[in-house]
Structure formats: structure tokens, C-alpha cells
Amino acid sequence: MSDHGNPPLLEMNEVEAAYGDFQALFNITLTVNRGEIVTLIGANGAGKTTTLRVISGLLRAKKGSVRFEGQEISKTPAHQIVARGISHVPEGRQLFPYMTVEEHLVLGAYIDRTRPKIPQLLDEQYAIFPRLKERRKQAAGTLSGGEQQMLAIARGLMSEPKLLLLDEPSLGLAPKLVDEVFQKIQQIGEKGVTVMVVEQNVVDGLSVSSRGYVVENGAILLQGASSDLLNNAQVRAAYLGL
């Protein structure tokens, strides 16, 4: 349960998942409350991306429960999960290089609920990401890495998600751009969108979130307030080299 006595927005309970014979998740249990930013940290291959794929319906859980707004979604098709209010911004941005910025954003609002509101939603994204407005007629493949990441996030927001899943938003970016992307994530959270961030960049990932989970070998190793995890000796030794 959440701190306020209301059910969590998202609950995963004893979830297991596999790719063929390779088991990637073991008994993953976690919660995300409304209005939170929650970070999953861990090394490459720890199971963070797989956790997001199970939530968004891209990978079916072998065992366990995934509940969103109190409803079981572990067997719900991915496109219906988007319509229910979960948007997944994948690792590596997954943009179409020859489509313009604005074409990407319009594509993000393809569901019935948001299609009639495209002009309003575009204005909202351009307010958060002014640089995208400047480049709205530009092909995505000509943008810088930071601009591409902002476009991927803005496209995810065009479906008006209740829960935004961000997979490695800092991947491949220069430190200055990483700071800018995380400032935008914080801004999105302040607007009331619940965010779940997967990150190898431990300091930045935990700095914008209220709570975090450490994932190792497909299982939750540690959990707690982000400030506590940043000061945890095990986390500092494993991920910060301290």
C-alpha cells in the first residue's frame, strides 16, 4: 500500500519472466505510488529493462501479478496498456530518422483518447521542451543526442500517461546533456505525471526520485528512500566505486 493508505498506481508481485529458456526476472515485487518518481538502478543485464517490458506488455510474465490502478494487466496486450495510461520510452530512443519532430509527436498521440487533443498536447510538449518547437520541422535523425532523448520523452507524453516508463534516458549523453534531461524529468514529475526511471547512472537517477530499487541478477536486492540508497555502503561500493 502507499504511504497515504491508497492503493499504489502500479504493483508488481512476485513476477518472473524469461526469454526462452533464460530466466531474466525472479520474484520481482515493487510498487509505484501516484505522483512519485521511482528509480530502478543496477548494472547492465540486471533485469531493469525486462521489468519495464513486463509492465508495458512487451513481454508476458511467466508468473506473478502486475496491477495498474488496481486492475490486473499482466495478460493485457501492449496497445491496450498504452490506452490505459502507461507510456514506455525505450532504451536507445527508437526514433525514425527521416520523420520530423512534429510527426513523431503526432504519432505519440495515436490512441483514441488523445487524437482529438493533438494541438493542445503539442503546445504542452513545446512548453516543456522549447528546443523541440524550434526544430519541429527538422528530421529526427539530424538532432543531437540530447534533443533526440527529449523527443523520445515528449513523444511518450503525447498519450497523456498516468505512468511514464523511462529506460536509460542518460545513455550515450554528455554530462551537461544528462543534467538537462534529468531536469526535464523532474519538471514532468512536478506536473503530476508518475515516473519510473531505469538508470545505470546511479547519482542522477536517484537524485530526481523519492524512492529507489536496486536490481541485481533479476531480483530486488535493496529498496528504500533514494537518499538512503545514495548513502548505502553496498550501493556506494558497487556502483560509485567508493
Side-chain angles (χ1 to χ4, degrees):
M1 297 293 277
S2 75
D3 296 338
H4 308 293
N6 298 317
L9 181 64
L10 175 78
E11 296 174 88
M12 299 183 77
N13 189 37
E14 297 186 350
V15 168
E16 297 187 3
Y19 298 100
D21 293 332
F22 173 72
Q23 186 156 343
L25 298 183
F26 299 85
N27 294 315
I28 293 283
T29 296
L30 58 80
T31 60
V32 180
N33 300 316
R34 290 176 194 277
E36 279 192 308
I37 300 178
V38 173
T39 302
L40 263 62
I41 62 169
N44 195 26
K48 306 183 306 296
T49 291
T50 302
T51 301
L52 295 193
R53 286 173 59 84
V54 169
I55 295 167
S56 63
L58 296 174
L59 181 67
R60 186 66 56 86
K62 273 175 55 180
K63 181 186 168 191
S65 168
V66 183
R67 299 180 74 82
F68 180 68
E69 296 190 304
Q71 301 294 312
E72 180 65 42
I73 60 166
S74 61
K75 294 180 171 56
T76 302
H79 68 281
Q80 291 181 17
I81 288 176
V82 176
R84 286 192 182 200
I86 297 178
S87 186
H88 185 169
V89 179
E91 181 182 342
R93 304 185 270 278
Q94 306 293 320
L95 301 175
F96 301 98
Y98 300 111
M99 285 175 59
T100 67
V101 166
E102 196 149 293
E103 286 169 342
H104 275 90
L105 296 178
V106 170
L107 188 64
Y110 76 94
I111 58 174
D112 291 343
R113 176 168 48 80
T114 51
R115 206 178 298 134
K117 300 157 71 173
I118 285 173
Q120 171 199 329
L121 292 168
L122 285 172
D123 287 345
E124 288 175 8
Q125 296 319 309
Y126 290 147
I128 299 172
F129 303 99
R131 211 172 311 160
L132 295 183
K133 185 174 185 180
E134 294 169 17
R135 288 157 172 67
R136 63 188 181 278
K137 301 301 181 189
Q138 203 169 312
T142 66
L143 301 178
S144 71
E147 289 164 350
Q148 288 187 9
Q149 186 59 64
M150 289 177 196
L151 176 56
I153 294 170
R155 179 180 61 181
L157 288 167
M158 286 291 289
S159 63
E160 287 193 310
K162 297 168 186 171
L163 174 62
L164 182 67
L165 307 176
L166 298 177
D167 195 353
E168 301 284 5
S170 73
L171 191 68
L173 299 184
K176 184 179 176 185
L177 291 174
V178 170
D179 291 344
E180 192 173 351
V181 167
F182 276 102
Q183 284 170 13
K184 296 298 185 186
I185 292 169
Q186 204 153 23
Q187 193 178 337
I188 290 161
E190 287 165 1
K191 287 181 174 292
V193 179
T194 305
V195 184
M196 188 174 190
V197 186
V198 151
E199 257 302 329
Q200 288 186 61
N201 187 328
V202 171
V203 173
D204 283 319
L206 289 174
S207 294
V208 297
S209 62
S210 54
R211 291 190 304 116
Y213 293 87
V214 179
V215 185
E216 189 173 288
N217 298 322
I220 302 291
L221 178 67
L222 294 167
Q223 60 179 292
S226 296
S227 55
D228 292 342
L229 291 176
L230 275 171
N231 291 314
N232 181 282
Q234 198 173 349
V235 171
R236 291 169 71 83
Y239 302 106
L240 303 177
L242 300 173

